[in-house]
C-alpha cells in the first residue's frame, strides 16, 4: 500500500486539490497512486465536499497518508442540512484536517440560491478561523463576493482552487494571503487568459492541482483526470515562466506548504 510522506521531498509535486475519494477513481485507485508516485507526486490534498464524504476523505489519510480537508461544497447546497455544520465542526475538532474545504460560492449554476450559499460559506469561514485552518475554495463567477467574506472573516490562508478570475482579482486574492490553483484548464492551447495569469502572476502565489477526476487536461480528455498529470502541468508552467523545472518544483512545494500553514 502506497503512503505519502508527511512532508514531501524538495522537488516533489503536490496536488493541492484532488478528489482521490471519488467513485470514478475507486476501481483503479492502486494504479492511480502508482502512476502518481512514478510521476514524482509526493503528496495529495483530498477535500471532502459533503458530510457523507468526510469518512472517505479520512480514509485517504489513514490508508495512504494524504492530506485532507472537510467542507460543504456549494454545488451540493440542497443536500446540506443545518446539522451538517455541527458535524463539520466535530470533524475539524476531532480529526484536525489540513484544511476546511472544499467550500465557496458558485454563481454559475442558477438553481443554487446565492443567499443560502453565502450564509453557509460564512459559517464555514468562521470555523476556519476558530480552528486556525486554511481554506480550500471553490470560486466560480464569485471572486468578488468570496473576497468580501474572506476580508470580513479575516481568513488569510488557503487556496483559491481552479482560479479563473481577472488579473485584478488575482492580485486581490494574493493580497488577502491566498494562493491560486492552476491545473487542467491551463493545458488547453486556447486558454490564453489562464496561461497569461500562470506566466505573469508572482510565482510565490501559485500552486498546482488536478481536481481529479474532473477538469480533464487537453491531452487526456477521454479518461478521468488523475494526479500523475501534475508532471505535465509542471513542465508546462516551467515553459510558460521560462524557469528550469527543478527550480519551479521547489518553489511550488514551498507555496503549497505555505498555503496550508505546514512547516517545512
Amino acid at each position: 500500500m502506497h503512503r505519502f510522506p508527511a512532508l514531501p521531498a524538495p522537488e516533489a509535486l503536490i496536488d493541492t486539490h484532488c478528489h482521490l475519494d471519488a467513485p470514478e477513481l475507486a476501481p483503479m485507485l492502486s494504479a492511480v497512486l502508482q502512476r502518481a508516485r512514478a510521476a514524482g507526486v509526493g503528496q495529495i490534498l483530498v477535500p471532502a465536499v459533503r458530510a457523507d464524504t468526510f469518512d472517505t476523505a479520512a480514509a485517504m489519510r489513514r490508508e495512504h497518508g494524504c492530506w485532507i480537508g472537510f467542507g460543504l461544497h456549494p454545488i451540493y447546497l440542497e443536500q446540506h442540512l443545518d446539522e451538517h455544520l455541527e458535524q463539520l465542526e466535530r470533524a475539524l475538532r476531532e480529526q484536525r484536517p489540513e484544511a476546511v474545504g472544499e467550500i465557496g460560492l458558485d454563481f454559475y449554476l442558477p438553481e443554487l440560491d446565492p443567499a443560502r450559499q453565502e450564509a453557509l460559506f460564512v459559517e464555514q469561514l468562521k470555523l476556519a478561523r476558530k480552528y486556525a485552518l486554511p481554506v480550500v475554495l471553490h470560486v466560480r463567477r464569485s471572486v468578488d463576493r468570496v473576497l468580501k467574506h474572506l476580508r470580513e472573516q479575516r481568513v488569510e490562508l488557503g487556496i483559491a482552487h481552479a482560479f479563473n478570475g481577472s488579473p485584478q482579482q488575482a492580485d486581490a486574492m494574493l493580497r488577502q494571503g491566498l494562493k491560486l490553483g492552476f491545473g487542467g484548464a491551463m493545458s488547453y492551447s486556447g486558454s490564453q487568459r489562464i496561461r497569461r495569469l500562470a506566466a505573469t502572476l508572482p510565482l510565490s502565489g501559485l500552486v498546482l492541482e488536478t481536481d481529479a477526476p474532473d477538469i480533464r487536461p487537453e491531452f487526456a480528455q477521454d479518461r478521468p483526470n488523475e494526479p500523475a498529470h501534475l508532471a505535465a502541468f509542471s513542465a508546462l508552467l516551467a515553459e510558460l515562466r521560462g524557469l528550469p523545472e527543478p527550480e519551479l518544483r521547489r518553489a511550488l512545494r514551498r507555496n503549497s506548504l505555505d498555503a496550508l500553514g505546514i512547516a517545512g
Side-chain angles (χ1 to χ4, degrees):
M1 179 188 301
H2 176 67
R3 286 188 62 84
F4 292 102
L7 198 62
E11 292 179 13
L13 293 166
I14 299 175
D15 191 343
T16 62
H17 198 111
C18 174
H19 298 285
L20 199 63
D21 58 338
E24 297 95 317
L25 297 180
M28 53 181 179
L29 185 59
S30 178
V32 165
L33 290 170
Q34 288 176 4
R35 288 192 291 267
R37 182 179 185 180
V41 177
Q43 186 52 265
I44 294 173
L45 176 65
V46 182
V49 295
R50 300 186 311 270
D52 63 357
T53 67
F54 292 174
D55 286 346
T56 52
M60 293 295 117
R61 170 196 268 177
R62 185 172 60 252
E63 296 171 10
H64 305 294
C66 296
W67 295 339
I68 59 173
F70 296 138
L72 304 175
H73 193 298
I75 283 182
Y76 302 101
L77 189 65
E78 294 307 311
Q79 299 179 41
H80 302 323
L81 306 176
D82 290 345
E83 64 238 41
H84 291 163
L85 277 171
E86 298 173 6
Q87 189 173 339
L88 172 60
E89 179 164 16
R90 185 165 59 252
L92 298 178
R93 183 176 63 249
E94 295 176 356
Q95 302 202 46
R96 296 301 299 182
E98 279 69 29
V100 176
E102 180 177 357
I103 66 174
L105 299 175
D106 192 309
F107 294 164
Y108 174 73
L109 298 173
E111 66 271 22
L112 300 175
D113 179 64
R116 185 158 176 253
Q117 284 191 64
E118 293 195 56
L120 180 65
F121 182 45
V122 167
E123 291 306 310
Q124 294 184 92
L125 291 179
K126 290 178 179 177
L127 289 175
R129 281 282 298 175
K130 181 176 180 179
Y131 292 96
L133 288 169
V135 291
V136 175
L137 299 174
H138 176 92
V139 187
R140 190 153 65 156
R141 295 193 180 174
S142 59
V143 178
D144 293 338
R145 294 298 289 178
V146 166
L147 275 165
K148 171 186 180 292
H149 293 302
L150 291 174
R151 291 167 181 148
E152 289 180 352
Q153 301 304 324
R154 303 186 308 283
V155 172
E156 300 172 344
L157 195 66
I159 298 167
H161 141 68
F163 186 78
N164 191 22
S166 69
Q168 294 77 18
Q169 290 171 326
D171 289 342
M173 278 285 186
L174 296 178
R175 288 196 303 272
Q176 186 63 23
L178 279 287
K179 307 295 186 187
L180 308 178
F182 288 85
M186 180 179 63
S187 72
Y188 285 82
S189 55
S191 298
Q192 291 303 309
R193 186 169 59 84
I194 291 176
R195 288 189 172 192
R196 280 195 298 273
L197 287 173
T200 59
L201 288 172
L203 178 57
S204 61
L206 308 186
V207 296
L208 285 182
E209 60 170 59
T210 61
D211 196 29
D214 300 319
I215 313 187
R216 299 180 181 189
E218 186 173 51
F219 56 81
Q221 297 178 57
D222 60 339
R223 58 187 185 274
N225 198 1
E226 59 178 275
H229 292 152
L230 276 189
F233 301 161
S234 173
L236 173 60
L237 187 58
E239 179 184 346
L240 290 173
R241 300 192 68 96
L243 288 174
E245 193 174 357
E247 178 183 338
L248 176 78
R249 288 191 177 203
R250 289 192 293 271
L252 292 171
R253 175 188 180 274
R254 286 195 305 271
N255 297 348
S256 301
L257 296 178
D258 289 346
L260 298 170
I262 296 173

